[in-house]
């Protein structure tokens, strides 16, 4: 038995067999020379692999037809057409004869060239096709060379597993077989990286930042994973298994007790009423948000529509997805964040340009403003879906007022385009900004003039204020909300919102962190948006405390001169009052 300790990233317990997943990048594609006489045997191998890929895709296409909308299912149809395309076969044969290399290498090479040509074209449609080619080539290569595990392996599993990996791309997490993956253990990552956020959204227990776990665990070994304490035990003894089972019973009881709060308001003992909303990444999560008592969607991460092999979110797909969420939520507000791609959220095979500092690079609103036509596709889809409910638009990664003005001008253009086409669209739509860059927090008073609301993204605000990469487990410990600089940014942002008469919300992970609830109440936060399953617990804390005591706590915390001093104040409050269920 061996125990690893990491970052508790998604609560819950799981016991099961390890599936050790090697990423594409790590699983090298073999490369060797062949003789002319070997061409025909390589060609036969390819035919066999193509047949296997066709049968996999046919099954996926059928499944998608049942579980997704038509446009999404059609993506697999397009992949099938490519696999069966004579011209594509001809190119591969030519490549094989010309290069005299093994067929895996030829497939990678030919598809790589095709992708590069498409990526160089200005029309985004061609870049989307490049993503499809990447997906198809991965599939063929892994049918040829099964030793390399791929994300297609993760998408369809035939037994329950605990997934162990060095790291996962958000697209891996998004497409993995959620009915089979009972837990996730990663070498990399932190509590606020996107894999952690998705694991929580899917209620999959996860421990991240384990450093070496993927090298130390072997496929098939038994694992006991505790996503609440951050421990992963390999080959657990009977005692460990039993104590984990007992803990599971206690946790289930707590969940039942908390669900009784569903209909009650999030109100302190002295009458301060705040709003609790849910963060979602997929339309399917909206129903879960209502189940946990969310009073709206405070953050719909629309970029997850684009992430995932073969995803192609044109205006109609987006329109359908936003409409679906709005209809499920009825009159409750749904805050759709315009795409926040870039940074650690990349489309496989799309953003291959190597930026030295992707987190400081071409991300979010910067990407949208640089591609106004693509941005307007999203804005039109939101405006049109807006007739189905109470939609709001939120712009991510705003660093200055110019970006807000440009985004609003494009929104006007998008509206005019809908009107011109005679498409019904929301007459008015509130627009707000995320406060997640220190410069935005510093000029919150200016941004408030152009915003109907603020939503504080603490995941990035902490990352950028403290210069700590949120996905890097080596420096993750520095990303601490108790830092006095973070508190000052929060206070300044909330005060600026209130001065302008607008609401200050928070949709970073801190909003769902029970240790911070009293502090945030005391700082005057109006809305907390979090993983839906965290809502009942946060509500219980709010209902058990007074605003008065929270204000005192916040004042004392703001006097702290160091992380340690602030933490001591916050910890004294939580320990003393025993208010955290
Ligand atoms: C944040 O930065 O706090 C946030 C909510 O956005 P994301 O986690 O998607 O970057
Ligand atoms: Mg962010």
């Amino acid at each position: 038995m061996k125990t690893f300790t990491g970052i508790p990233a998604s609560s819950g317990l799981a016991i099961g067999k390890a599936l050790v997943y090697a990423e594409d990048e790590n699983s090298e594609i073999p490369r060797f020379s062949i003789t002319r006489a070997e061409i025909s045997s390589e060609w036969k191998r390819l035919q066999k692999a193509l047949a296997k890929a066709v049968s996999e895709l046919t099954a996926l296409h059928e499944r998608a037809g049942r579980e997704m909308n038509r446009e999404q299912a059609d993506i697999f149809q397009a992949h099938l057409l490519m696999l069966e395309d004579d011209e594509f076969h001809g190119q591969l044969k030519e490549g094989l004869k010309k290069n005299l290399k093994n067929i895996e290498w030829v497939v990678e090479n030919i598809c790589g060239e095709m992708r590069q040509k498409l990526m160089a074209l200005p029309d985004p449609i061609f870049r989307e096709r490049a993503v499809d080619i990447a997906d198809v080539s991965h599939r063929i290569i892994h049918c040829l060379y099964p030793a390399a595990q791929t994300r297609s392996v993760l998408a369809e599993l035939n037994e329950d597993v605990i997934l162990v990996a060095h790291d996962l791309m958000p697209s891996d997490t998004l497409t993995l077989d959620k009915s089979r993956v009972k837990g996730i253990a990663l070498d990399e990552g932190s509590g606020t990286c996107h894999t952690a956020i998705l694991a929580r959204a899917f209620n999959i227990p996860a421990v991240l930042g384990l450093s070496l776990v993927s090298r130390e665990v072997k496929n098939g070994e038994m694992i006991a994973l505790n996503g609440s304490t951050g421990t992963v035990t390999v080959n657990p003894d009977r005692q460990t298994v039993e104590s984990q089972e007992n803990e599971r019973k206690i946790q289930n009881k707590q969940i039942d007790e908390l669900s009784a709060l569903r209909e009650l308001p999030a109100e302190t003992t002295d009458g301060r009423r705040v709003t609790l909303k849910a963060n979602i990444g997929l339309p399917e999560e909206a129903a879960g948000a209502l189940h946990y008592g969310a009073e709206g969607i405070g953050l719909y991460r629309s970029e997850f529509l684009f992430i995932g092999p073969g995803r192609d979110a044109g205006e109609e797909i987006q329109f359908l997805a936003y409409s679906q969420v709005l209809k499920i939520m009825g009159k409750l507000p749904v805050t759709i964040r315009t795409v926040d791609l870039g940074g650690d959220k990349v489309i496989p095979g799309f953003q291959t340009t190597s930026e030295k500092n992707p987190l400081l690079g071409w991300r979010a609103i910067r990407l949208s403003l640089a591609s106004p036509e693509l941005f307007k596709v999203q804005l039109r889809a939101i405006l049109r879906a807006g007739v189905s409910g109470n939609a709001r638009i939120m712009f991510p990664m705003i660093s200055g007022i110019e970006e807000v003005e440009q985004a609003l001008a494009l929104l006007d253009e998008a509206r005019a385009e809908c009107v011109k086409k005679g498409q019904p669209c929301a007459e008015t739509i509130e627009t707000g900004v995320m406060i997640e860059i220190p410069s935005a927090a510093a000029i919150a008073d200016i941004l408030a003039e152009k915003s109907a609301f603020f939503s504080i993204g603490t995941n990035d605000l902490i990352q950028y204020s403290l210069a700590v990469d949120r996905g890097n487990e080596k420096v993750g410990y520095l990303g601490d909300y108790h830092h006095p600089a973070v508190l000052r940014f929060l206070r300044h942002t909330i005060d600026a919102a209130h001065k302008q008469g607008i609401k200050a919300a928070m949709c970073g992970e801190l909003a769902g962190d029970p240790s911070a609830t009293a502090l945030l109440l005391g700082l005057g936060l109006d809305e907390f948006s979090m993983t839906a399953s965290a809502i009942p617990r946060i509500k219980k804390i709010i209902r058990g405390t007074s605003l008065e005591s929270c204000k005192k706590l916040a004042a004392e915390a703001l006097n702290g001169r160091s992380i340690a001093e602030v933490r001591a104040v916050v910890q004294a409050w939580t320990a003393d009052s025993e208010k955290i269920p």
Side-chain angles (χ1 to χ4, degrees):
M1 178 166 110
K2 188 164 182 184
T3 299
F4 299 83
T5 305
I7 299 161
S10 175
S11 62
L13 303 156
I15 297 180
K17 265 202 236 169
L19 169 68
V20 184
Y21 169 68
E23 288 175 72
D24 289 354
E25 286 74 11
N26 294 345
S27 47
E28 286 213 341
I29 295 167
R31 176 190 172 151
F32 51 86
S33 298
I34 57 165
T35 61
R36 291 217 162 268
E38 283 168 325
I39 290 178
S40 74
S41 61
E42 283 299 283
W43 188 246
K44 271 192 201 137
R45 281 182 62 225
L46 176 69
Q47 297 311 310
K48 248 172 104 179
L50 287 176
K52 187 160 182 270
V54 166
S55 96
E56 279 180 14
L57 271 170
T58 308
L60 270 176
H61 182 235
E62 280 167 14
R63 187 173 136 194
R66 288 191 303 274
E67 295 172 13
M68 301 177 190
N69 61 42
R70 228 193 87 208
E71 278 90 339
Q72 287 167 328
D74 284 352
I75 294 165
F76 296 115
Q77 179 67 31
H79 290 189
L80 273 167
L81 288 176
M82 179 174 165
L83 279 182
E84 289 163 346
D85 181 51
D86 286 343
E87 201 181 321
F88 178 50
H89 291 191
Q91 279 173 298
L92 293 176
K93 191 155 216 175
E94 230 4 74
L96 191 58
K97 284 185 191 159
K98 197 171 121 204
N99 295 293
L100 290 177
K101 292 274 181 318
N102 60 306
I103 191 69
E104 291 89 344
W105 184 87
V106 173
V107 171
E108 169 69 8
N109 204 264
I110 299 280
C111 291
E113 278 174 14
M114 286 161 74
R115 280 202 312 266
Q116 266 175 12
K117 277 187 199 147
L118 289 169
M119 296 285 288
L121 299 173
D123 189 331
I125 297 282
F126 292 115
R127 294 207 293 269
E128 285 160 12
R129 291 283 78 81
V131 178
D132 288 332
I133 291 174
D135 211 348
V136 170
S137 71
H138 275 137
R139 188 173 298 280
I140 304 173
I141 288 168
H142 293 285
C143 286
L144 280 163
Y145 183 59
Q149 295 181 40
T150 65
R151 52 180 68 92
S152 63
V153 170
L154 298 181
E156 275 188 280
L157 298 165
N158 42 26
E159 60 177 343
D160 290 354
V161 296
I162 306 240
L163 182 58
V164 179
H166 178 67
D167 200 4
L168 289 178
M169 293 213 293
S171 57
D172 295 323
T173 321
L174 201 66
T175 49
L176 54 80
D177 187 341
K178 287 145 204 104
S179 65
R180 292 298 198 184
V181 175
K182 300 295 171 197
I184 298 175
L186 301 185
D187 296 343
E188 293 278 334
S190 71
T192 59
C193 72
H194 290 98
T195 298
I197 289 168
L198 286 172
R200 285 194 286 273
F202 300 142
N203 284 326
I204 303 176
V207 181
L208 309 190
L210 286 154
S211 300
L212 289 172
V213 75
S214 72
R215 272 187 261 166
E216 304 255 343
V217 177
K218 291 187 194 64
N219 247 332
E221 277 186 315
M222 281 308 283
I223 289 197
L225 180 145
N226 187 332
S228 311
T229 57
T231 53
V232 170
T233 308
V234 188
N235 296 321
D237 58 17
R238 232 181 70 205
Q239 209 186 346
T240 311
V241 173
E242 273 171 18
S243 85
Q244 189 147 320
E245 290 298 342
N246 287 338
E247 206 180 322
R248 185 202 296 277
K249 283 183 199 141
I250 296 169
Q251 282 190 4
N252 287 347
K253 202 163 152 246
Q254 275 175 348
I255 291 170
D256 287 347
E257 280 166 16
L258 289 173
S259 63
L261 297 173
R262 194 175 171 277
E263 305 297 334
L264 299 174
E267 189 172 305
T268 60
T269 51
D270 49 358
R272 162 75 168 150
R273 174 77 162 90
V274 291
T275 309
L276 301 187
K277 294 184 179 170
N279 293 349
I280 62 166
L282 297 173
E284 298 86 289
E285 290 175 65
L290 286 178
H291 168 79
Y292 286 107
E295 299 170 273
I297 302 297
L299 168 63
Y300 176 3
R301 288 184 164 94
S302 66
E303 57 276 9
F304 289 126
L305 273 171
F306 299 77
I307 301 176
R311 296 255 178 156
D312 165 356
E315 184 171 331
E316 287 315 302
I317 290 185
Q318 291 188 56
F319 167 71
L320 289 174
Y322 306 146
S323 304
Q324 188 183 340
V325 175
L326 285 160
K327 283 180 194 154
I328 293 172
M329 297 307 289
K331 290 199 175 101
L332 297 174
V334 174
T335 309
I336 301 169
R337 177 173 76 180
T338 59
V339 287
D340 183 5
L341 287 166
D344 70 339
K345 284 179 282 197
V346 289
I347 304 181
F350 169 47
Q351 279 158 306
T352 44
T353 47
S354 49
E355 288 184 84
K356 269 201 181 145
N357 294 301
L359 290 169
L360 302 179
W362 208 42
R363 248 195 97 171
I365 196 73
R366 301 166 184 186
L367 217 140
S368 296
L369 293 176
S371 339
E373 289 311 314
L374 215 53
F375 189 34
K376 281 195 286 176
V377 166
Q378 173 161 46
L379 296 174
R380 286 197 303 268
I382 301 175
L383 285 167
R384 286 173 52 210
V387 294
S388 301
N390 183 359
R392 313 198 303 169
I393 297 178
M394 177 157 80
F395 302 120
M397 294 278 296
I398 291 294
S399 66
I401 192 74
E402 301 85 346
E403 287 159 338
V404 184
E405 286 165 351
Q406 285 170 39
L408 292 176
L410 288 167
L411 181 61
D412 285 343
E413 279 181 33
R415 186 191 303 281
E417 286 163 10
C418 292
V419 171
K420 199 167 161 203
K421 280 194 222 155
Q423 290 169 319
C425 62
E427 271 169 26
T428 54
I429 203 155
E430 285 191 342
T431 57
V433 298
M434 288 201 65
I435 303 291
E436 52 183 345
I437 296 186
S439 62
I443 57 156
D445 50 331
I446 300 170
L447 295 175
E449 291 167 15
K450 298 266 174 190
S451 311
F453 61 91
F454 280 162
S455 190
I456 307 172
T458 44
N459 309 339
D460 278 319
L461 186 60
I462 293 172
Q463 156 166 274
Y464 294 127
S465 336
L466 306 179
V468 172
D469 178 346
R470 62 196 259 196
N472 181 340
E473 96 335 296
K474 289 189 195 67
V475 291
Y477 72 99
L478 287 168
D480 191 324
Y481 77 83
H482 300 99
H483 195 296
V486 175
L487 292 200
R488 288 179 193 196
F489 279 140
L490 297 183
R491 183 191 53 179
H492 181 67
T493 303
I494 295 170
D495 288 353
H498 291 170
K499 253 193 202 137
Q500 187 66 29
I502 63 171
K503 290 250 162 43
M506 179 179 287
C507 60
E509 296 303 297
L510 193 62
D513 180 343
S515 75
T517 311
L519 177 66
L520 297 175
L521 279 171
L523 288 170
L525 193 70
D526 303 294
E527 270 184 32
F528 297 63
S529 191
M530 64 201 80
T531 299
S533 59
I535 291 176
R537 197 166 177 213
I538 299 298
K539 194 187 274 184
K540 176 132 200 237
I541 297 170
I542 294 169
R543 290 180 59 80
T545 192
S546 71
L547 179 64
E548 221 30 59
S549 68
C550 294
K551 277 189 178 161
K552 276 195 203 127
L553 164 70
E556 234 185 289
L558 280 163
N559 279 333
R561 298 174 62 255
S562 64
I563 291 178
E565 279 184 28
V566 175
R567 192 187 290 122
V569 172
V570 173
Q571 279 181 350
W573 190 90
T574 49
D576 192 32
S577 59
E578 284 185 351
K579 283 195 176 96
I580 299 196

